[in-house]
Amino acid sequence: MDIRPNHTIYINNMNDKIKKEVRLVPGRHDIAFVEFENDGQAGAARDALQGFKITPSHAMKITYAKK
């Protein structure tokens, strides 16, 4: 499924020790949504952080959020 760029990204495979100013999903410590001012900022964050290892065993998986 191809999701169009938008100002919110979806982060999967987060570690429960990470605390961020994001919208967390109740009952799921491993996913979050981060909202940016525009699509360009969200895309830059997605591209820069894709695969970033929060811990040695947790690499982030980032896509645009479904609208």
Side-chain angles (χ1 to χ4, degrees):
M1 174 189 321
D2 186 31
I3 300 173
R4 304 196 81 156
N6 63 78
H7 68 282
T8 303
I9 58 174
Y10 167 77
I11 302 174
N12 189 1
N13 204 27
M14 290 187 57
N15 183 288
D16 63 351
K17 293 175 179 56
I18 303 303
K19 304 298 181 216
K20 295 183 179 294
E21 293 290 326
V22 298
R23 285 186 287 147
L24 300 174
V25 177
R28 295 286 310 264
H29 66 274
D30 62 335
I31 63 175
F33 293 90
V34 181
E35 194 166 326
F36 292 86
E37 288 185 22
N38 59 55
D39 300 0
Q41 290 176 349
R46 181 200 61 174
D47 294 345
L49 295 172
Q50 189 67 263
F52 177 79
K53 288 192 174 186
I54 297 173
T55 68
S57 62
H58 284 87
M60 287 195 290
K61 298 175 187 171
I62 305 171
T63 62
Y64 290 108
K66 294 179 185 177
K67 281 193 162 189

